[in-house]
Amino acid sequence: VVEGGGASGLAALLPGAQLDRPELKGKNIVVPLCGGNIDTTVLGRVLERGLAADNRMKSLVAMVSDRPGGIAKLATLLADHGASIKDMYHERAFLHSNIDHVRVKCVLELQGKDHAKELKRALEEKGYNPVWDDEERKTMI
């Protein structure tokens, strides 16, 4: 990650810039790039968006039984299929569904698009009918 000021050496070599000189043409030049001033929170968001763009981080919402072990069964299924749970949140109060179910939102770390498809198929086979983040955005637009 390079901040704006950390790329000034490269900018000086661009065509028409201060160091765009004939004696440097065709030469190997080392340009240090730096960026130590990036905020770690911003860096974390950049990394997470990259993971999401690569289908290596996805979120889903599924309804599960609100009986003891309901969420554990979902978590076990996710683990059995190689998904790592980054975050999980369940909602009881604001649902318009059966009283014995709870809505669970999971943020998962996956291995990519094929892994996401495999996991979706496994969840559907077990009756969870998940709504993935990309499907949810389509309905919001």
Side-chain angles (χ1 to χ4, degrees):
V1 176
V2 178
E3 62 179 308
S8 58
L10 178 61
L13 292 169
L14 293 175
Q18 186 177 5
L19 296 178
D20 182 23
R21 300 180 186 160
E23 65 269 18
L24 297 178
K25 300 288 184 201
K27 304 266 179 157
N28 292 328
I29 300 172
V30 175
V31 180
L33 303 174
C34 60
N37 289 334
I38 189 166
D39 182 85
T40 56
T41 303
V42 172
L43 179 59
R45 284 186 291 201
V46 168
L47 293 172
E48 285 188 342
R49 287 189 182 192
L51 290 170
D54 287 344
N55 286 293
R56 293 175 49 209
M57 183 181 295
K58 292 189 70 72
S59 68
L60 66 86
V61 175
M63 299 297 288
V64 302
S65 170
D66 196 20
R67 305 229 179 246
I71 294 174
K73 287 179 185 176
L74 174 62
T76 299
L77 179 64
L78 294 171
D80 288 347
H81 285 82
S84 178
I85 300 171
K86 184 173 172 58
D87 193 18
M88 182 181 270
Y89 172 79
H90 69 281
E91 177 63 56
R92 285 188 176 104
F94 303 104
L95 299 180
H96 302 287
S97 65
N98 293 342
I99 194 72
D100 60 345
H101 281 78
V102 61
R103 179 175 40 212
V104 177
K105 180 174 183 177
C106 300
V107 178
L108 307 171
E109 291 180 0
L110 305 173
Q111 297 168 6
K113 194 171 191 172
D114 291 339
H115 188 201
K117 287 179 182 178
E118 170 194 325
L119 183 60
K120 181 178 181 179
R121 187 172 37 253
L123 288 164
E124 289 172 347
E125 286 174 4
K126 294 292 184 179
Y128 286 104
N129 299 316
V131 176
W132 293 88
D133 51 5
D134 47 358
E135 295 168 353
E136 189 175 296
R137 278 193 299 271
K138 289 176 190 173
T139 62
M140 293 170 59
I141 296 174

